[in-house]
Amino acid sequence: MASDRRTLLADAALDVLVDEGIRGLTHRAVDRKSAMPPGTTSAYFRTRAALLTGLVTRLVHLDQAELQTMAEELPPLRTVEELVDGMVLLTRQRLTGEGRRRSLARHACAVESVRDPELRAILVPRENAGREAVRMFLTTHGVTDVENRTHTLLTCIDGLVFDRLVNGGEVPREALDGLVAAALR
Amino acid sequence: MASDRRTLLADAALDVLVDEGIRGLTHRAVDRKSAMPPGTTSAYFRTRAALLTGLVTRLVHLDQAELQTMAEELPPLRTVEELVDGMVLLTRQRLTGEGRRRSLARHACAVESVRDPELRAILVPRENAGREAVRMFLTTHGVTDVENRTHTLLTCIDGLVFDRLVNGGEVPREALDGLVAAALR
């Protein structure tokens, strides 16, 4: 029960961050957003640092779950076209609905994490089903420097998504074709 | 004299943003950072929105000036190697010293701008000497979709820089080689 309450509050904290920005993220705002009695958020997350850590931990969990689901639902990535299909799907998810809100939260937290090593340790790119799928694909296609090529590919996609998050529009398939060509060259 | 004072305060606001985050950006913090009497920042920038606009306007001015200087100091970009040289230099400038601080501020402001169209209008990618140099290069090398290829290339570089800003390290030349290859393919 306590852990469900923590999750509910962390989700509300994510909503506050997205709707009001990092400045608006206070214990009282999370109480209000979650419709909990005043003081509830403070009882579960004593300090603002604890609240931010709870929020980022929840965000990473949701991101990981999304990538795991995608990996299970998509066919194995055999051709370049299948890889680009997966990347098109991922960028769309990250730019619409709940995914868009998480992308916003992720970037806001990444900016905060530059001054906060504890936050960074939770947020740093880690093993996930998407990364593993790209790594497998590049290995199968004979790329030698798989770690760096995978990291560059995913980091560039993050850059393209962030640009669209701010300026609108979709990530064009053509741009993703180019990144895959660069990874395979 | 008034405009010098505004610049000085906008620079102090940039410093506050980088050192203390968007939450720390208050008129009083800028007074303190600029060693001005309390109330000075409020006299020049009435509201917090005005302060943020002043900060972003200054940031864009400094970014533009940096790219202009680079364009004047670098030889014309004729070969792929010369273009990559320029990109290596740019990513280094954006990850060290004053450039690193501006990169941090730029990303924090971009995150804010998602909820703030006025801020976005000032911050949005605009004509600058760097963009123009890449566009010229791709045109000379026979690329047909120059606008989109230029935008993708520069957006991916932003992504690589932001990753290093958070996680440390340099942008490897090899990654920039790949982006140029993708732009020219």
Side-chain angles (χ1 to χ4, degrees):
Chain A
M1 192 63 189
S3 80
D4 288 350
R5 185 68 59 89
R6 280 180 73 84
T7 302
L8 184 150
L9 292 169
D11 282 338
L14 267 168
D15 281 335
V16 171
L17 173 62
V18 173
D19 293 335
E20 298 164 43
I22 196 83
R23 277 177 74 222
L25 184 65
T26 62
H27 288 82
R28 291 178 63 173
V30 178
D31 287 341
R32 280 193 298 271
K33 187 72 91 178
S34 61
M36 288 284 170
T40 309
T41 307
S42 287
Y44 284 84
F45 302 99
R46 282 273 159 219
T47 60
R48 191 166 186 284
L51 180 58
L52 208 49
T53 300
L55 181 164
V56 171
T57 304
R58 176 69 179 155
L59 177 62
V60 169
H61 172 79
L62 291 170
D63 282 346
Q64 296 274 28
E66 174 189 46
L67 291 166
Q68 187 62 42
T69 304
M70 275 189 72
E72 285 164 10
E73 288 177 357
L74 284 177
L77 306 173
R78 272 174 306 236
T79 65
V80 167
E81 200 181 353
E82 285 168 344
L83 175 60
V84 176
D85 284 344
M87 285 161 42
V88 167
L89 185 63
L90 181 67
T91 59
R92 280 199 192 135
Q93 285 188 193
R94 298 207 153 172
L95 286 169
T96 49
E98 196 52 43
R100 177 180 167 83
R101 292 174 65 80
R102 263 190 287 128
S103 296
L104 267 169
R106 200 181 309 112
H107 281 278
C109 291
V111 166
E112 289 300 299
S113 82
V114 174
R115 289 187 320 281
D116 185 338
E118 193 194 339
L119 217 56
R120 195 160 63 237
I122 308 171
L123 202 62
V124 152
R126 59 184 61 224
E127 289 315 303
N128 64 52
R131 184 168 289 257
E132 184 54 27
V134 171
R135 195 187 277 129
M136 288 280 288
F137 181 90
L138 296 183
T139 304
T140 307
H141 282 72
V143 171
T144 49
D145 190 11
V146 169
E147 274 318 307
N148 286 325
R149 291 279 168 104
T150 301
H151 186 72
T152 296
L153 178 57
L154 296 177
T155 305
C156 288
I157 293 178
D158 283 346
L160 293 170
V161 166
F162 184 59
D163 172 62
R164 265 56 179 196
L165 203 61
V166 174
N167 298 311
E170 286 201 339
V171 175
R173 184 178 186 99
E174 201 276 329
L176 300 172
D177 284 336
L179 291 178
V180 173
L184 290 174
R185 84 190 187 286
Chain B
M1 191 63 191
S3 81
D4 288 350
R5 183 69 59 91
R6 279 181 74 85
T7 302
L8 185 149
L9 292 169
D11 282 339
L14 267 168
D15 281 336
V16 171
L17 173 62
V18 173
D19 293 335
E20 297 165 43
I22 197 83
R23 276 178 74 221
L25 183 65
T26 63
H27 288 83
R28 292 178 62 174
V30 178
D31 287 341
R32 280 194 298 271
K33 187 72 91 178
S34 60
M36 288 286 170
T40 309
T41 306
S42 288
Y44 284 85
F45 303 98
R46 283 272 160 219
T47 61
R48 191 167 187 283
L51 180 57
L52 209 48
T53 301
L55 180 162
V56 171
T57 304
R58 176 69 178 153
L59 177 62
V60 169
H61 172 82
L62 292 169
D63 282 346
Q64 296 274 29
E66 174 189 45
L67 290 166
Q68 188 61 43
T69 304
M70 273 188 74
E72 285 163 11
E73 287 178 356
L74 285 176
L77 305 175
R78 272 174 307 235
T79 65
V80 167
E81 199 181 354
E82 284 168 344
L83 175 59
V84 177
D85 284 344
M87 286 161 43
V88 166
L89 185 62
L90 181 67
T91 59
R92 280 200 191 132
Q93 284 188 195
R94 298 206 153 173
L95 286 168
T96 50
E98 197 51 43
R100 177 181 168 82
R101 293 174 64 81
R102 263 191 285 128
S103 297
L104 266 169
R106 200 181 308 113
H107 281 278
C109 291
V111 166
E112 289 300 300
S113 81
V114 174
R115 289 188 320 282
D116 186 337
E118 193 194 341
L119 216 56
R120 195 161 62 238
I122 308 171
L123 201 61
V124 151
R126 59 185 59 224
E127 290 312 305
N128 64 52
R131 184 168 288 258
E132 184 54 28
V134 171
R135 195 187 277 129
M136 289 280 288
F137 181 90
L138 296 183
T139 304
T140 307
H141 283 71
V143 171
T144 50
D145 190 11
V146 168
E147 274 318 307
N148 286 325
R149 291 279 168 104
T150 300
H151 187 73
T152 296
L153 178 57
L154 296 177
T155 304
C156 288
I157 294 177
D158 283 346
L160 293 170
V161 166
F162 183 60
D163 173 62
R164 265 55 178 198
L165 203 62
V166 174
N167 298 310
E170 287 200 339
V171 174
R173 185 179 185 99
E174 200 276 329
L176 300 171
D177 284 336
L179 291 178
V180 173
L184 291 175
R185 84 192 186 284

